[in-house]
């Protein structure tokens, strides 16, 4: 099977320049809204399709980077400086004379495909006249669309070098997308080109027989005019095909079922020689159970290079976090998590409700040890910082103390500002510092009470708010001390303190943590 090793984008959508290396089997594209996940799938799809029509349907004005166009129009508008766009897919070594060459931006000998969009020199005079108008709009109409291999040989949608299928679960109601999907599945299921020609010939033959035999009597009656069947590019076998399950067309299935059927068919062993499968947000329209089912089908697939965009914690972790490519919505970078330790990746595969995407996509994170700290931390922020954490763009996760290291491995790799608020469990400052020494950095800080007697959050809370806690928790029949009661009923105690409107004193180590993370 052919593999895509690398993608390079230049002046494409939000990316002025982007270079991403891909895994041979699975690539999870993760990022916030507008981070460019869909653009990367679209780029791969456009290059592999070799289709000018597909490019024109999207529109050049929707493909070019807006900032580049704006900067050019605000400049001297020199014809020689007109922006160009290119997309390049670097392939594994095929030793193929048709795809191997130096027609790429790296100027290296390798296999690959290139979509190039550039001004047509034949119209340079017209372009110059347009650009001299102070109120001109950018002359996209005078640009050329070119599909070439790295050996500088043209290719098109009829002579593709890699077979691929694009499943876009975000556009289930798009009739064109559904037709393209069915056509791709059909073409990938054929054993050879001859089989396709036979199908098309037989389809035209049956249409002709229908006209001659079924419509004959009707046409004899109406005289000079007659009924027939359309026989053009929009009324051929490719466009008339659809897929049925239990005598119901896929078009009439629920959106979730469509997503399952589409992916199942694309991963099927009956689909011949499929090189790449592109899936846009597979979790769309799926229940939790069906998402798990889909994950298992993807994990069991072989011999296909898969590219997935997702917002789902479940998908990103259950399919191996180390296969992730993180896209930052602010600095247009792509970061791979391949360097994560295997045990950290395994932890997130097994751990329930880990909220890993919240952690990865946040600018600042607070990790707390339990539900009690999680419930009260925002109240502490409002008291100590006069603001809530949401407005300060600080994300909070409740993490079991033994799991801190896995999150900190990611924070260290991605340089995410993260603070840990934890109990000292009776350990000295030296012992606690040693526990977290591996992660010490400017962007990672650990906060705990340095008094070994104040070993837990509840003890610190009680000692700093004795009068308040006595008032809230004392009852005539209670035999436990208030501190012991709070230790045995951590969540309930925190909830009562959360609801109480009295002035609460924030433990010093938590004040320090809030001050640092908010800077």
């Amino acid at each position: 099977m052919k593999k895509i090793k690398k993608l390079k984008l230049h002046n494409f959508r939000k990316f002025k320049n982007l270079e991403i290396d891909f895994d041979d089997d699975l690539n999870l594209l993760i990022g916030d809204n507008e981070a460019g996940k869909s653009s990367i799938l679209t780029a791969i799809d456009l290059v592999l399709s070799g289709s000018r029509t597909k490019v024109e349907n999207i529109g050049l004005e929707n493909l070019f980077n807006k900032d580049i166009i704006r900067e050019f129009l605000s400049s001297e508008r020199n014809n020689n400086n007109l922006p160009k766009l290119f997309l390049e897919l670097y392939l594994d070594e095929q030793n193929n004379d048709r795809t191997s060459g130096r027609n790429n931006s790296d100027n290296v000998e390798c296999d690959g495909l290139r979509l190039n969009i550039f001004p047509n020199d034949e119209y340079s005079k017209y372009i110059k006249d347009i650009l001299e108008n102070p109120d001109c709009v950018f002359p996209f109409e005078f640009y050329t669309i070119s599909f070439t291999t790295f050996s500088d040989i043209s290719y098109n949608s009829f002579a593709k070098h890699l077979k691929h299928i694009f499943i876009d679960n975000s556009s289930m109601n798009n009739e064109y997308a559904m037709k393209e999907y069915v056509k791709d599945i059909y073409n990938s299921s054929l054993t050879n080109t001859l089989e396709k020609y036979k199908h098309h010939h037989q389809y035209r033959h049956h249409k002709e027989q229908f006209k001659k035999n079924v419509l004959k009597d009707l046409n004899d009656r109406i005289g000079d005019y007659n009924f027939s069947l359309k026989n053009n590019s929009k009324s051929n076998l490719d466009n008339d095909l659809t897929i049925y399950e239990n005598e119901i067309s896929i078009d009439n299935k629920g959106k979730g079922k469509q997503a399952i059927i589409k992916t199942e068919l694309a991963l099927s062993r009956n689909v011949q020689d499929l090189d790449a499968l592109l899936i846009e947000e597979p979790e769309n329209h799926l229940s939790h159970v069906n998402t798990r089912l889909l994950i298992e089908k993807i994990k069991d697939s072989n011999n296909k290079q898969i590219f997935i965009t997702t917002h789902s914690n479940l998908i990103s972790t259950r399919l191996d976090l180390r296969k992730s490519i993180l896209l930052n919505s602010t600095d247009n970078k792509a970061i791979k998590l391949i360097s994560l330790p295997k045990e950290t990746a395994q932890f997130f595969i097994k751990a329930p409700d880990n909220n890993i995407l919240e952690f990865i996509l946040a600018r600042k994170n607070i990790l707390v040890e339990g539900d009690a700290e999680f419930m009260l931390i925002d109240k502490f922020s409002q008291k100590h910082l006069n603001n809530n954490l949401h407005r300060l763009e600080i994300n909070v996760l409740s993490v079991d103390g033994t799991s801190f290291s896995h999150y900190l491995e990611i924070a260290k790799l991605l340089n995410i500002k993260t603070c840990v608020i934890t109990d000292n469990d009776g350990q000295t400052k030296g012992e606690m510092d040693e526990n977290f020494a591996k992660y010490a950095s400017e962007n990672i800080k650990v906060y705990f009470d340095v008094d070994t007697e104040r070993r837990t959050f509840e003890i610190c809370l009680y000692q700093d708010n004795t009068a308040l806690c006595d008032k809230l928790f004392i009852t005539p029949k209670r035999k436990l001390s208030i501190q012991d009661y709070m230790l045995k009923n951590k969540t309930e105690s925190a909830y009562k303190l959360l609801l109480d409107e009295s002035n609460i004193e924030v433990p010093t180590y938590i004040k320090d943590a809030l001050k640092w993370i908010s800077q």
Side-chain angles (χ1 to χ4, degrees), residues 404-406 408-409 412 435-441 444-445:
F404 283 140
S405 61
H406 299 302
L408 294 181
E409 288 284 359
K412 185 177 178 181
N435 292 342
F436 292 96
K438 179 181 177 183
Y439 309 105
S441 70
I444 297 175
K445 301 291 182 187

Side-chain angles (χ1 to χ4, degrees), residues 405-516:
S405 61
H406 299 302
Y407 287 87
L408 294 181
E409 288 284 359
I410 295 173
K412 185 177 178 181
L413 180 64
L414 301 180
N415 206 27
I416 301 170
K417 190 170 185 179
T418 303
C419 87
V420 173
I421 296 176
T422 183
D423 298 337
N424 67 43
D425 293 324
Q427 296 183 81
T428 65
K429 182 180 185 304
E431 291 170 325
M432 290 293 289
D433 288 343
E434 187 177 347
N435 292 342
F436 292 96
K438 179 181 177 183
Y439 309 105
S441 70
E442 288 186 3
N443 271 319
I444 297 175
K445 301 291 182 187
V446 180
Y447 291 89
F448 50 88
D449 199 293
V450 295
D451 185 347
T452 56
E453 296 296 320
R454 291 162 59 97
R455 66 184 187 280
T456 71
F457 171 64
E458 286 71 27
I459 293 174
C460 296
L461 205 54
Y462 178 70
Q463 290 187 4
D464 293 343
N465 297 275
T466 304
L468 172 60
C469 294
D470 286 346
K471 182 188 77 171
L472 285 178
F473 305 126
I474 198 165
T475 62
K477 296 182 179 180
R478 181 157 290 149
K479 294 179 180 179
L480 288 172
S481 69
I482 299 302
Q483 183 171 286
D484 286 342
Y485 170 79
M486 292 175 67
L487 286 167
K488 288 182 178 293
N489 300 275
K490 295 181 178 182
T491 304
E492 184 183 344
S493 301
Y495 182 64
K496 286 185 178 180
L497 284 166
L498 177 66
L499 296 181
D500 188 80
E501 296 183 0
S502 303
N503 189 28
I504 190 169
E505 181 61 34
V506 182
T508 301
Y509 71 98
I510 296 180
K511 287 182 185 178
D512 293 342
L514 290 170
K515 181 180 178 181
W516 178 79

